Amino acid sequence: MAVPVYLGMVLAVVPLLCIIASRLNAQPRDTREPVFIQPRVPFIGHAIGLFWHGGVYYTKLSANTALPIYTMPLMSSKFYVVNSLPLITSVSKASKRLSFTPFIKMVAERLSGLKEPSLGKFDESSGSKGIALDTVHSIKTAIQGKAGSAELDNAVLVQITSLLDNLSKQQGKPVNLLPWTRRTITLASSGAVYGPLNPLEDIETENALWIFQSNMGVLISNVGPKLLKRTAIRAREKVVSKYLSYYLAKGQDQGSSLARARHDVPARYGLNEEEIARLEVPFNFAILNNTVATVFWMLCHVYSQPDVLAELRREVQKALIPKAGSGDTKELLISVADLKTKCPGLLSAFHETLRVYSLRPNVRHVIEDTMLDNRYFLEKDSMVQLPTRSIHQDVSLWGTGAKTLNLKRFLDSPDGGNLSKSTAAFGSFGVAPHICPGRHFAATLIIAFMAQMILRFDIIPQARSGWRIPIQNLKAMNSVPGPRKGMEVKIVEREGCKGNWEYVLGEEGLKFALASG
């Protein structure tokens, strides 16, 4: 009899405690705080919503409230969710009080498994910026300067051509488009960054990295089933081991300036090779996950629309540099400078894919009590959430078709639609001043890859129904979630497209005109 009695007490008391906790957490400290949006299930309701819906939960909640900013009590924390473009601009201006930097340390701790005292070296101290800020600065120097940018761009263009040459030799076999895209883009990106000793050349290490990334939500949130945590940690340790071997072999000395910067900054702070290898695991999340997903969605939407594909082929043809030769020995040179200046349709398709599929969690930590836009009180140690999809679906910014994909949206033409000219309205690469430093490298990789793909190959879906765009995995943690599952296709080289393909980078320092700047 005792067990049923105790169980009855628990069932009676726990909901009551949840309601009390919810009421306590729901009390604004200041009357100027944004409106509190209470969950239907007291205390834990918003947590359940985020677990069930993923990042799109913010979009659903924002659509129901239609408020420029509101407070979302999340367990014992508070999130201020911003849905107004003017308020996002205000958040950008208050970057010293609303900062992204604390999250770098949190990611290092929860995703890499880094421990104290090394973890404490991420913080600013007298005479030191800390690993977090120094690493961000070193990455910008390595990939945004003319020399570093040209080095990485040239390296990735060589990787792309080599991979597509191999595809030409193996064409015609059915493949699942998702793992094929994942493997191809992983090798192109990581090969350019890490050089000849690239740790992700090993397929088992790459697979372990994707297992880690698909289960890392339980690590970053610090809640969830122990089984999923163990799965993520086992996969992470396998990748760490491979990167440790890379650093012990001085692989970064044969890699890019970015690979050396990623190693040398924490080394200057006294971290050992094993700890540096740990930090590299979540870094791969940044350089691979979103790039792979963006390429996958672009392939699906470009190839599933024959009229768009034909237009883009005509456009990219302008970037081909005429050379002598014929048959399989002819030289086919793609001018990357022309891709940047003469192919607005391809750039529009890139931007629109990101606009529609981005779920980027632009988050800020409230360092001190702050008045946002002189109207809204934000309490210290709360969080500010800037949900990308809410802004990307705002009809006042993007027109009545804001929720639908239109690959011509970013063109200055009748087909383009109502396009916001504000860089803050396009949040796929972050919100100022914390814009992704690798955005131009990612754009070069993706657009150059797409250019050669659409010129050289046809993609034929194997399902009888033809092209059916897969459903997006909205529970994924990355900024641009991929599909729940892939699809079977055949990739076939087009007639007359055999030859020696190559890219010519052109003018040093010339960049794509990205919507984020």
Side-chain angles (χ1 to χ4, degrees), residues 285-349:
F285 175 70
I287 68 171
L288 291 177
N289 220 336
N290 301 320
T291 309
V292 168
T294 303
V295 169
F296 177 86
W297 294 122
M298 281 190 75
L299 289 171
C300 286
H301 286 286
V302 168
Y303 277 92
S304 64
Q305 300 180 59
D307 57 332
V308 172
L309 178 60
E311 287 182 33
L312 290 180
R313 279 176 172 160
R314 287 192 294 270
E315 181 181 86
V316 175
Q317 194 77 29
K318 299 174 186 175
L320 273 180
I321 300 174
K323 296 288 287 186
S326 61
D328 293 357
T329 62
K330 65 174 179 273
E331 293 185 29
L332 298 149
L333 305 183
I334 300 176
S335 166
V336 178
D338 285 347
L339 290 180
K340 294 175 179 178
T341 58
K342 297 180 181 179
C343 299
L346 192 54
L347 182 60
S348 176

Side-chain angles (χ1 to χ4, degrees), residues 61-84:
L61 202 60
S62 298
N64 290 336
T65 60
L67 293 169
I69 183 172
Y70 59 85
T71 305
M72 186 182 83
L74 185 62
M75 308 290 280
S76 59
S77 302
K78 280 192 289 192
F79 275 73
Y80 301 113
V81 183
V82 181
N83 296 302
S84 157

Side-chain angles (χ1 to χ4, degrees), residues 39 147 214 345 366 459:
S214 63
V366 184
I459 300 181

Side-chain angles (χ1 to χ4, degrees), residues 268-289:
R268 285 200 300 270
Y269 280 84
L271 270 64
N272 61 40
E273 305 291 1
E274 191 265 350
E275 291 174 314
I276 298 171
R278 290 192 170 280
L279 294 177
E280 208 61 19
V281 179
F283 173 68
N284 276 290
F285 175 70
I287 68 171
L288 291 177
N289 220 336

Side-chain angles (χ1 to χ4, degrees), residues 135-306:
T135 299
V136 171
H137 176 74
S138 69
I139 290 174
K140 288 181 178 179
T141 302
I143 63 179
Q144 290 186 349
K146 285 186 178 181
S149 174
E151 173 200 40
L152 264 180
D153 288 350
N154 274 315
V156 81
L157 295 173
V158 169
Q159 293 286 336
I160 290 171
T161 298
S162 175
L163 290 162
L164 293 184
D165 284 346
N166 288 336
L167 174 63
S168 174
K169 298 170 186 175
Q170 302 167 8
Q171 62 165 323
K173 298 179 181 178
V175 296
N176 188 305
L177 189 59
L178 179 59
W180 177 83
T181 304
R182 183 180 290 165
R183 180 64 174 161
T184 301
I185 300 304
T186 295
L187 289 176
S189 183
S190 62
V193 172
Y194 295 113
L197 298 183
N198 177 18
L200 296 180
E201 186 79 33
D202 175 47
I203 186 66
E204 291 187 5
T205 303
E206 185 205 333
N207 288 339
L209 179 65
W210 291 110
I211 292 171
F212 165 74
Q213 292 184 344
S214 63
N215 291 281
M216 70 181 190
V218 294
L219 297 181
I220 197 73
S221 64
N222 209 25
V223 296
K226 289 184 178 180
L227 177 62
L228 292 182
K229 287 185 179 180
R230 286 197 296 267
T231 300
I233 291 171
R234 275 198 305 268
R236 180 186 70 197
E237 296 308 305
K238 188 169 187 174
V239 180
V240 168
S241 176
K242 195 69 175 180
Y243 272 96
L244 176 58
S245 299
Y246 173 78
Y247 288 129
L248 292 175
K250 305 292 183 186
Q252 72 275 12
D253 292 343
Q254 301 176 58
S256 66
S257 56
L258 176 58
R260 292 189 292 277
R262 289 283 310 164
H263 172 272
D264 293 349
V265 170
R268 285 200 300 270
Y269 280 84
L271 270 64
N272 61 40
E273 305 291 1
E274 191 265 350
E275 291 174 314
I276 298 171
R278 290 192 170 280
L279 294 177
E280 208 61 19
V281 179
F283 173 68
N284 276 290
F285 175 70
I287 68 171
L288 291 177
N289 220 336
N290 301 320
T291 309
V292 168
T294 303
V295 169
F296 177 86
W297 294 122
M298 281 190 75
L299 289 171
C300 286
H301 286 286
V302 168
Y303 277 92
S304 64
Q305 300 180 59

Side-chain angles (χ1 to χ4, degrees), residues 351-471:
H351 278 134
E352 179 68 353
T353 302
L354 285 172
R355 188 193 72 83
V356 170
Y357 283 101
S358 289
L359 272 179
R360 186 181 180 92
N362 292 307
V363 186
R364 300 291 185 266
H365 183 264
V366 184
I367 302 296
E368 60 184 61
D369 289 351
T370 300
M371 285 300 298
L372 185 66
D373 198 35
N374 295 318
R375 288 187 291 168
Y376 301 105
F377 175 82
L378 309 184
E379 186 177 1
K380 179 183 177 180
D381 289 332
S382 298
M383 307 295 178
V384 177
Q385 176 70 258
L386 312 169
T388 299
R389 184 158 289 190
S390 295
I391 297 297
H392 285 184
Q393 292 184 355
D394 188 335
V395 296
S396 69
L397 299 171
W398 304 101
T400 53
K403 293 184 179 181
T404 60
L405 183 137
N406 171 11
L407 294 178
K408 299 179 182 180
R409 185 182 302 276
F410 286 77
L411 292 174
D412 291 324
S413 71
D415 295 327
N418 181 23
L419 172 63
S420 171
K421 299 299 182 182
S422 170
T423 56
F426 187 82
S428 297
F429 288 116
V431 174
H434 301 287
I435 304 292
C436 172
R439 62 194 182 279
H440 287 284
F441 172 63
T444 298
L445 189 165
I446 294 169
I447 294 174
F449 174 82
M450 288 296 301
Q452 192 173 158
M453 273 296 297
I454 64 178
L455 285 176
R456 288 184 75 173
F457 299 98
D458 284 319
I459 300 181
I460 305 166
Q462 295 303 283
R464 290 183 180 180
S465 56
W467 280 100
R468 297 188 66 180
I469 307 299
I471 297 172

